[in-house]
Amino acid sequence: MDIKVNVREAQGDCYVVDLGGEIDVYTSPKVKDAIGELIDRGVYHLVINLEKVRYIDSTGLGVLIGGLKRVREHGGSVNLVCTNPQIKKIFDITGLVKIFGIFESEDAAMKALV
Amino acid sequence: MDIKVNVREAQGDCYVVDLGGEIDVYTSPKVKDAIGELIDRGVYHLVINLEKVRYIDSTGLGVLIGGLKRVREHGGSVNLVCTNPQIKKIFDITGLVKIFGIFESEDAAMKALV
Amino acid sequence: MNQPVQRAEETDVVELRVPCKAEWVALARLSVAAVASRLHFSIDEIEDIKLAVAEACTNAIQHAHGSSYIEIRCEALADGLRINVRDYGRGTRPESIRSRELEDERVGGLGVFLIRSLMDDVSYDVHPEQGTQLVMTKRLPV
Amino acid sequence: MNQPVQRAEETDVVELRVPCKAEWVALARLSVAAVASRLHFSIDEIEDIKLAVAEACTNAIQHAHGSSYIEIRCEALADGLRINVRDYGRGTRPESIRSRELEDERVGGLGVFLIRSLMDDVSYDVHPEQGTQLVMTKRLPV
Ligand SMILES: Nc1ncnc2c1ncn2[C@@H]1O[C@H](COP(=O)(O)OP(=O)(O)O)[C@@H](O)[C@H]1O
Ligand SMILES: Nc1ncnc2c1ncn2[C@@H]1O[C@H](COP(=O)(O)OP(=O)(O)O)[C@@H](O)[C@H]1O
């Protein structure tokens, strides 16, 4: 399964989810579980780092949108780190740039969060 | 066409053919032409560098064997540079290790030639 | 895929049949990307094609209940690549297949929108009992 | 590839049909490698499988005169991968298909030898008028 998911604590009550590989209908449940678990634990401020993601499709986008909706209910937020132009393009054409904070670096995503 | 062929002159009357990419039924004619041209010009001492070759099949092997046969008619020889274990394995199981000089470095292949 | 295509004008056709299961979408994506690369599409265009094919397969997996296979047919055109994705599932009503409104922040509903955005001609042929057929074309830049 | 395979015991089957032309062998290789990778073969085993499939396709292209297509069927077994490569060319006499003697320094004649060396079970089914069918299996290490 060509997906890597790693969750790590950063400053404050903020967590970073590192994703890598390909996020599709087969692999996205693993991403969904990792994000869901964090939220269940009461983590509502998330940075999701997509720098190592080579591919994402609508099931992956759906998982990110689902996560965002859940944290928003608790006044939380999700910021994305995304540098791959093809993946940025997908956030562009789907209009998701307007609902996610999308940043060039983890630092920037983190600063914008808190 | 995922093949790279580059011919360069080395010391003496010896030439190096650098191959890269995948050598198969589609790409091997280009390799055959390059080697054939050299031999037509009277070059009978060849080093063929396979270090950048990711894949070779029987059509590629056939081109190498064909080249060897032609230069041998003129007292020439072909030495190969090959470091990729999968490709070495193919020379092993086909017994071609016995008819080609196969070397770990271009230097070694060159020295053995002259 | 059911009858060999052998025409006078020789267009190259590649056909792939994979199980209608999530774990085979990556294969479909990769194979179609290799076809597109063979036809000299750019890396960006290949990514568009991969995504469109993946969305089509994902819909077959998620909505075409009862389909065992997904069939993907790639036809090399003089000016592009025509891709046919079909399943043999229950199908849907034609009016269900539409791009969502972007304002609508739903979790789903992006697949058809992406397919229509990334490909040049897109048409669906929906048979409630015989499954869904999607034909989409990506043109090579002139 | 002509009739959908739907059996009680659900083995995953992937089928690919490519034009019987040299430029499509790379696609066949890549797709079968992706299937093998999905089935958790090692990198070395995947290289063996790629080469065997390429040799089979190359033979169809070079010897199966009159075949428009090559069909490749990959069947996931509990303990490996069974691959069926068939063409619809003129075929040959069964006795022509044999591994060469290694002492014999000919330019050709390595394809069948490599297939037999790299795969675990190899059998040819040759019909002079209906083409050639090769079935080969690679077993997963126990
Ligand atoms: N192959 C298919 N079989 C049946 N229904 C389909 C198929 N493809 C698309 N649809 C229908 O089109 C709708 C829109 O698809 P899409 O935009 O991908 O969003 P989603 O899959 O998230 O609902 C689906 O909800 C489904 O009703
Ligand atoms: N698909 C095929 N159709 C017809 N003949 C075939 C086919 N595959 C193999 N053969 C026969 O088997 C022989 C041995 O093949 P191979 O070992 O690959 O060597 P080569 O192709 O260099 O002759 C071929 O020369 C050919 O006569």
Side-chain angles (χ1 to χ4, degrees):
Chain A
M1 183 144 101
D2 185 21
I3 181 80
K4 289 218 162 55
V5 183
N6 178 47
V7 175
R8 61 194 154 87
E9 197 168 351
Q11 71 251 51
D13 54 349
C14 155
Y15 275 75
V16 178
V17 181
D18 293 309
L19 300 180
E22 311 198 318
I23 311 180
D24 71 357
V25 61
Y26 185 54
T27 61
S28 60
K30 200 169 167 185
V31 178
K32 185 176 180 177
D33 288 351
I35 295 176
E37 249 169 57
L38 270 181
I39 301 174
D40 290 343
R41 276 162 51 194
V43 176
Y44 305 128
H45 292 283
L46 289 177
V47 167
I48 301 180
N49 192 329
L50 304 173
E51 281 177 293
K52 297 233 166 71
V53 172
R54 290 189 312 275
Y55 172 87
I56 189 167
D57 68 14
S58 69
T59 51
L61 298 178
V63 166
L64 299 180
I65 299 168
L68 178 64
K69 297 193 121 173
R70 281 193 63 196
V71 299
R72 273 194 186 162
E73 287 166 16
H74 304 275
S77 57
V78 174
N79 282 347
L80 305 177
V81 185
C82 178
T83 48
N84 179 321
Q86 180 68 20
I87 291 179
K88 270 193 194 157
K89 172 178 151 186
I90 296 165
F91 282 96
D92 267 331
I93 58 180
T94 54
L96 294 175
V97 277
K98 284 182 245 148
I99 72 161
F100 286 104
I102 300 185
F103 299 87
E104 288 282 326
S105 73
E106 194 173 300
D107 247 26
M110 207 86 101
K111 285 213 183 85
L113 203 60
V114 273
Chain B
M1 184 144 102
D2 186 20
I3 182 79
K4 290 218 162 56
V5 183
N6 178 47
V7 175
R8 61 195 154 85
E9 197 168 352
Q11 72 252 50
D13 54 351
C14 156
Y15 275 75
V16 178
V17 182
D18 294 308
L19 301 180
E22 311 198 317
I23 311 180
D24 71 357
V25 61
Y26 185 54
T27 61
S28 60
K30 199 169 167 185
V31 178
K32 186 175 181 178
D33 288 351
I35 294 175
E37 249 169 59
L38 270 181
I39 300 174
D40 289 344
R41 277 162 49 194
V43 177
Y44 305 128
H45 293 283
L46 288 178
V47 167
I48 302 181
N49 191 330
L50 304 174
E51 280 177 293
K52 298 233 165 73
V53 172
R54 290 189 313 274
Y55 173 87
I56 189 167
D57 68 14
S58 71
T59 50
L61 298 178
V63 166
L64 300 180
I65 298 168
L68 178 64
K69 296 193 123 173
R70 283 194 61 196
V71 299
R72 273 194 185 161
E73 289 167 14
H74 304 274
S77 56
V78 174
N79 282 346
L80 306 177
V81 186
C82 178
T83 49
N84 178 322
Q86 180 68 21
I87 292 179
K88 270 193 192 157
K89 173 178 151 186
I90 297 165
F91 282 96
D92 267 331
I93 58 181
T94 53
L96 294 175
V97 278
K98 284 181 245 148
I99 72 161
F100 286 104
I102 301 186
F103 299 87
E104 289 282 325
S105 73
E106 195 173 298
D107 246 25
M110 207 85 101
K111 285 213 182 83
L113 204 60
V114 274
Chain C
M1 190 154 275
N2 293 311
Q3 57 209 78
V5 183
Q6 297 188 12
R7 309 195 207 150
E9 0 89 65
E10 273 282 312
T11 58
D12 278 350
V13 172
V14 170
E15 291 172 299
L16 178 70
R17 176 152 63 191
V18 298
C20 191
K21 296 181 181 174
E23 61 262 46
W24 293 107
V25 174
L27 170 70
R29 225 157 52 211
L30 186 88
S31 297
V32 176
V35 173
S37 150
R38 176 91 273 289
L39 302 180
H40 305 299
F41 281 97
S42 71
I43 292 178
D44 282 4
E45 289 157 348
I46 293 171
E47 287 300 320
D48 292 350
I49 294 167
K50 268 169 76 172
L51 185 51
V53 167
E55 296 297 344
C57 291
T58 300
N59 277 340
I61 292 163
Q62 294 184 329
H63 305 297
H65 305 289
S67 188
S68 302
Y69 285 92
I70 304 171
E71 289 177 358
I72 300 158
R73 183 176 189 277
C74 298
E75 192 179 346
L77 308 175
D79 64 342
L81 172 60
R82 185 187 294 139
I83 303 172
N84 194 312
V85 180
R86 73 164 298 162
D87 62 62
Y88 296 92
R90 255 213 316 274
T92 183
R93 286 159 295 119
E95 61 275 20
S96 311
I97 299 190
R98 52 177 176 75
S99 303
R100 74 174 203 171
E101 301 301 313
L102 281 189
E103 289 65 48
D104 189 9
E105 282 182 24
R106 290 189 294 121
V107 171
L110 286 171
V112 173
F113 174 82
L114 281 168
I115 292 170
R116 292 199 189 275
S117 305
L118 298 171
M119 301 297 279
D120 289 319
D121 293 311
V122 177
S123 74
Y124 272 97
D125 192 0
V126 179
H127 298 278
E129 297 310 315
Q130 295 152 56
T132 299
Q133 178 156 211
L134 161 62
V135 184
M136 51 192 179
T137 302
K138 185 86 176 173
R139 309 242 167 253
L140 284 160
V142 268
Chain D
M1 190 154 273
N2 292 312
Q3 57 210 77
V5 183
Q6 298 188 13
R7 309 195 206 149
E9 1 89 65
E10 273 282 313
T11 57
D12 278 350
V13 172
V14 170
E15 290 172 298
L16 179 70
R17 175 154 61 191
V18 297
C20 191
K21 296 182 182 173
E23 62 261 46
W24 293 108
V25 174
L27 170 70
R29 224 158 54 211
L30 186 89
S31 296
V32 176
V35 172
S37 150
R38 174 94 273 288
L39 302 179
H40 306 299
F41 281 97
S42 71
I43 291 177
D44 282 3
E45 288 157 347
I46 293 171
E47 286 300 318
D48 293 350
I49 294 167
K50 268 169 74 172
L51 185 52
V53 167
E55 296 298 344
C57 291
T58 299
N59 277 341
I61 292 163
Q62 294 184 331
H63 305 297
H65 305 289
S67 188
S68 302
Y69 286 93
I70 305 171
E71 291 178 358
I72 300 160
R73 183 175 189 277
C74 298
E75 191 179 347
L77 307 175
D79 63 343
L81 171 61
R82 186 187 293 140
I83 302 172
N84 195 311
V85 180
R86 72 164 301 164
D87 62 63
Y88 296 91
R90 254 214 318 273
T92 183
R93 286 158 296 120
E95 60 276 19
S96 309
I97 298 191
R98 52 177 177 75
S99 302
R100 74 173 202 172
E101 301 301 312
L102 280 188
E103 289 65 49
D104 189 8
E105 283 182 22
R106 289 189 295 121
V107 171
L110 285 172
V112 173
F113 174 82
L114 281 169
I115 292 170
R116 292 200 189 276
S117 306
L118 298 171
M119 301 296 280
D120 289 318
D121 293 312
V122 176
S123 74
Y124 272 96
D125 192 1
V126 179
H127 298 277
E129 297 311 315
Q130 295 152 55
T132 299
Q133 177 157 212
L134 161 62
V135 184
M136 51 191 177
T137 302
K138 186 84 174 175
R139 309 241 168 252
L140 283 161
V142 268

